Amino acid sequence: MAERKVVRVTKGRSGWGGPLLLAESDTRKIVASVTGGGIHPVAQRIADLLGVEARDGFSTKVEVSEMICAVIDCGGTARCGVYPKLGVLTIDLHAITPSGPLMKFMNEENFVSGVKLEDIAMADGSTPPLPVTLTRDERKAEVKAIKEEVNREMASKQSPVVALITKLGRAVGGVVGAFYQAGRESVDIVIKNVLPFMAFISMMIGLILYTGVGNVIAEAVKPLSGNLLGMVVLSFIAAIPFLSPVLGPGAVIAQVVGVLLGVEIGAGRLAPSMALPALFAINAQVGADFVPVGLTLAEAEPKTVEIGVPAVLFSRLITGPISVVIAYLFSFGLY
């Protein structure tokens, strides 16, 4: 009895889900291409590796019970959830995450997106889709050749008008899908990251203003704002890791000391050359409250956040005072 072939499909760049393991069974013997305009190269590649038939799901009816998998090009509306709901392993050519009215049926065990030809290989590694010895340019050339061969075969079965319409439809669909996914991800980021951060900042500002802790600290550091050494000390204090995240949201030191320095410079009691170093001295804490949020938006790993937050906060203890000194040197000749 011949050994059963198993194909491994992994997510592409910016894709989601998977990996999926595909194999022929007694009832499931067809790779369905539900992309419009014939059989897509990805569907054909999977079928070739499995030694089964690839069938155009638009022109020929394919029973769900016969599908090994469904290859789709949905930008995140209905099709991406239909086949997972029906119990069919789904491969989306667009790099999307679960979306649409049927998104609850999509998970990493039945859905993978952003798939390209190079993301398909035999599970045992015996027959990779593209030889690993190829250079990057050669690999691109082979992928292009495979696509062109399949497209020529599709075009030979279609009239020129239908082929043109199909080509235009795919191009427009790709652009629309990309913009749709970008808009959906933007809304998702706003809801999951930006709005909670704004709520946190509002709470911190309210706490600082209500307790008056910021004003107490600002009044205490006023005497340091009249000379270079004092400003270096001020920047060091503002950058202390356990203070900077608290001082950042309300910008208390920046407001109080900034107004004080502006009045003193305007009255002629403080040299205008102190304005530039003062700018860096009173802003050493800026952004300290945003570090964990920024790392989260960058999709950093939990370990990276755990190490990165204190690393950035402690680095401000060094860069804060240094920036004041550099600003003081650059202030010569400005006024």
Side-chain angles (χ1 to χ4, degrees):
M1 182 177 177
E3 185 179 354
R4 186 180 66 164
K5 297 179 180 179
V6 180
V7 169
R8 180 185 178 90
V9 180
T10 56
K11 64 183 180 181
R13 183 180 180 183
S14 303
W16 184 90
L20 302 183
L21 296 178
L22 310 177
E24 180 186 4
S25 69
D26 293 337
T27 57
R28 298 183 183 273
K29 298 178 178 293
I30 297 173
V31 175
S33 180
V34 196
T35 56
I39 299 172
H40 193 275
V42 167
Q44 188 63 58
R45 188 64 173 171
I46 295 172
D48 291 343
L49 291 177
L50 289 176
V52 299
E53 177 188 0
R55 190 177 296 176
D56 183 1
F58 277 98
S59 61
T60 308
K61 180 176 175 58
V62 183
E63 296 293 340
V64 171
S65 59
E66 298 179 330
M67 295 182 183
I68 297 174
C69 66
V71 178
I72 63 175
D73 58 351
C74 179
T77 50
R79 261 183 303 160
C80 59
V82 168
Y83 292 101
K85 181 182 179 181
L86 296 174
V88 178
L89 299 179
T90 306
I91 299 167
D92 198 337
L93 304 176
H94 294 298
I96 69 166
T97 52
S99 63
L102 301 176
M103 63 178 294
K104 65 180 180 180
F105 298 102
M106 302 165 64
N107 55 61
E108 295 181 341
E109 284 71 45
N110 63 16
F111 183 86
V112 64
S113 67
V115 177
K116 307 292 184 184
L117 287 174
E118 53 265 34
D119 301 316
I120 306 166
M122 299 301 294
D124 59 5
S126 59
T127 312
L130 296 173
V132 296
T133 55
L134 293 179
T135 65
R136 185 175 181 180
D137 291 339
E138 290 172 338
R139 180 171 298 183
K140 287 183 177 180
E142 181 164 338
V143 171
K144 183 178 179 181
I146 294 173
K147 289 181 178 179
E148 289 177 350
E149 181 180 351
V150 175
N151 288 335
R152 281 195 299 269
E153 183 178 346
M154 289 165 48
S156 65
K157 299 178 182 179
Q158 297 175 340
S159 68
V161 176
V162 174
L164 177 61
I165 293 175
T166 300
K167 187 175 182 179
L168 289 175
R170 279 187 174 174
V172 173
V175 174
V176 172
F179 278 106
Y180 176 80
Q181 178 66 13
R184 197 167 59 80
E185 289 180 357
S186 298
V187 173
D188 190 56
I189 290 174
V190 170
I191 293 175
K192 291 183 178 180
N193 296 296
V194 177
L195 291 181
F197 174 69
M198 292 174 66
F200 167 74
I201 295 301
S202 298
M203 183 273 291
M204 289 296 296
I205 292 175
L207 183 64
I208 289 170
L209 295 178
Y210 180 78
T211 60
V213 63
N215 290 325
V216 172
I217 295 174
E219 292 295 330
V221 300
K222 273 185 180 181
L224 301 175
S225 58
N227 56 79
L228 177 61
L229 179 61
M231 288 187 181
V232 171
V233 175
L234 173 60
S235 67
F236 182 85
I237 293 174
I240 294 176
F242 64 85
L243 281 180
S244 55
V246 177
L247 298 175
V252 178
I253 286 184
Q255 292 183 61
V256 175
V257 179
V259 171
L260 171 68
L261 289 173
V263 172
E264 294 298 308
I265 292 174
R269 290 188 289 270
L270 195 63
S273 59
M274 298 302 294
L276 187 59
L279 175 65
F280 288 89
I282 64 179
N283 286 299
Q285 81 288 348
V286 169
D289 54 322
F290 190 77
V291 176
V293 180
L295 289 172
T296 302
L297 291 175
E299 300 180 354
E301 297 292 335
K303 190 66 176 178
T304 303
V305 177
E306 180 182 342
I307 298 173
V309 172
V312 173
L313 294 181
F314 276 99
S315 70
R316 301 297 281 273
L317 283 172
I318 301 173
T319 59
I322 291 177
S323 65
V324 174
V325 175
I326 294 175
Y328 178 74
L329 296 177
F330 273 84
S331 67
F332 293 138
L334 289 179
Y335 306 95

